[in-house]
Amino acid sequence: MKKTLLFIAILSAIITGCDNSKYNFVFNGEVEGVKDGIVYLQKYRNKTYFVIDSAKIENGKFGFNKNLELPEIYGITLDSTKGSFLLFLDEGESSIVLNPENNYRDTKVTGSASQDLFDVYKANRPDDISDFIREYPNSFVSLYALYREFSYRLTPQQLRDAIDLLDPKLKNTPYVETLEELIPTLEVVAVGNKALDFVGNDVDGNPVTFFDFVGEGYVLLDFWASWCPPCRRENPNLVSAYNKFKDKGFDIFAVSLDKSKDAWIKGIEDDNLTWTHVSDLLLWDSELAKVYGVRVIPSNFLIDKNGVIIAKNLRGEELHSTLEELL
């Protein structure tokens, strides 16, 4: 096992250490249980997938032969409106056995050292991402893990330190650019600092100023989306807290990272969220979320009548106990 990991590490270092340039990429695959249809190749950007090519499935097989930026992060799916399988692609020829069951969980990729390393990472997710980056500083897997799974857990200084561990060639990527922009924002919206104002459109398209809701009592600034299962699971708790404390000086102001207005409104109605809602309907490109450096949802900020952030990410019973103590 140690020899296998060492081989993966060395091969990944050789391949992913190269410049991120366009290469002719050959990718062959088959789909388990599917004889015909379409396979979509997607580019991964800002936690979202965008279709860049498609291929027909014939007798259960398909292929791509395309100039791609490599190494890079991509996605592949049979339905571009639903879930995708995350692909770490290197130079050279790769193959895939795409299994659409259970959100592509049993899909197998061969020929990509980066994908092999991602499988190792998933099987042994570290508590400290810095340790993983030190071991694989020039891998897109390290970059992805920091960008996608750890950026919202780290303090600004910890995030700076983790970025410094990455190979310099990875620091010119959009992923690191996003993280470096995030650091000063996280410093500004830290607990104890003044909240930031912004204007968003409500469900009727009317502009609403957040600070119009600050100054009377306590306001929970909540970031969520109708497509986010953890958000929907937390919503009943928010409804309970709102109903319990709304007459004692508590309010909620919600910002959605939805893309579909209809889905957003339906989520509000289905979950009985009777407070103020705004959204720019831009998913993770949301300028409203960017103001507060939100990289994961649900996220929230509790703000007092003086406009000071006094707590972050209160959920479940912790939200109720905090409000009970304050009010």
Side-chain angles (χ1 to χ4, degrees), residues 275-288:
W275 44 85
T276 301
H277 294 265
V278 299
S279 179
D280 49 15
L281 300 175
L282 292 175
L283 289 171
W284 290 106
D285 288 327
S286 170
E287 290 297 323
L288 308 182

Side-chain angles (χ1 to χ4, degrees), residues 104-287:
Y104 304 101
R105 183 177 301 169
D106 297 322
T107 291
K108 302 297 182 184
V109 178
T110 56
S112 170
S114 292
Q115 193 76 39
D116 292 341
L117 182 59
F118 184 55
D119 290 340
V120 172
Y121 168 80
K122 288 189 297 181
N124 303 277
R125 277 186 165 88
D127 294 326
D128 185 351
I129 188 57
S130 296
D131 293 338
F132 189 85
I133 297 174
R134 287 189 186 96
E135 192 167 0
Y136 308 103
N138 54 1
S139 172
F140 264 74
V141 177
S142 296
L143 179 58
Y144 170 83
L146 177 61
Y147 171 86
R148 180 66 179 84
E149 299 187 352
F150 280 86
S151 62
Y152 58 88
R153 307 185 198 180
L154 304 179
T155 66
Q157 187 56 53
Q158 288 172 331
L159 189 51
R160 278 195 189 92
D161 294 341
I163 291 173
D164 287 342
L165 295 174
L166 291 168
D167 187 277
K169 292 178 181 177
L170 292 180
K171 294 181 182 179
N172 294 324
T173 63
Y175 308 102
V176 172
E177 290 175 4
T178 296
L179 295 178
E180 288 179 336
E181 290 176 0
L182 179 63
I183 290 172
T185 301
L186 294 178
E187 291 173 334
V188 169
V189 297
V191 172
N193 290 349
K194 286 278 190 177
L196 302 176
D197 195 15
F198 59 87
V199 178
N201 289 338
D202 65 16
V203 294
D204 296 317
N206 299 316
V208 180
T209 302
F210 173 55
F211 270 17
D212 287 347
F213 295 78
V214 175
E216 295 290 327
Y218 294 91
V219 179
L220 187 74
L221 176 59
D222 181 56
F223 293 86
W224 76 295
S226 67
W227 48 260
C228 165
C231 303
R232 303 300 293 270
R233 290 194 294 268
E234 177 62 17
N235 279 345
N237 182 61
L238 293 182
V239 171
S240 174
Y242 181 72
N243 290 336
K244 184 176 180 180
F245 296 105
K246 65 180 180 180
D247 295 330
K248 299 180 181 180
F250 175 64
D251 198 1
I252 300 176
F253 189 99
V255 178
S256 169
L257 275 68
D258 271 284
K259 182 177 181 180
S260 165
K261 184 175 182 179
D262 289 341
W264 174 38
I265 293 174
K266 186 176 187 301
I268 293 171
E269 294 173 348
D270 288 351
D271 292 0
N272 195 30
L273 312 179
T274 57
W275 44 85
T276 301
H277 294 265
V278 299
S279 179
D280 49 15
L281 300 175
L282 292 175
L283 289 171
W284 290 106
D285 288 327
S286 170
E287 290 297 323

Side-chain angles (χ1 to χ4, degrees), residues 27 30 56 68 79 89 99 113 128 133 142 180 198-199 211 245-246 261 300 303 312 314 324:
F27 190 65
E30 57 183 275
K56 288 185 178 181
L68 292 178
D79 187 343
L89 297 181
N99 186 331
D128 185 351
I133 297 174
S142 296
E180 288 179 336
F198 59 87
V199 178
F211 270 17
F245 296 105
K246 65 180 180 180
K261 184 175 182 179
N300 61 53
I303 299 162
K312 295 170 68 172
L314 297 172
E324 191 78 51

Side-chain angles (χ1 to χ4, degrees), residues 47-97:
K47 301 171 76 170
T48 308
Y49 296 97
F50 299 87
V51 174
I52 58 173
D53 202 359
S54 62
K56 288 185 178 181
I57 304 170
E58 297 179 350
N59 295 320
K61 297 184 178 181
F62 65 93
F64 290 97
N65 190 331
K66 184 178 179 63
N67 286 333
L68 292 178
E69 292 181 357
L70 297 172
E72 249 294 356
I73 306 172
Y74 292 90
I76 193 165
T77 183
L78 301 180
D79 187 343
S80 59
T81 66
K82 295 183 179 179
S84 300
F85 179 77
L86 189 66
L87 274 173
F88 291 82
L89 297 181
D90 301 322
E91 296 172 53
E93 187 170 343
S94 297
S95 62
I96 186 170
V97 178

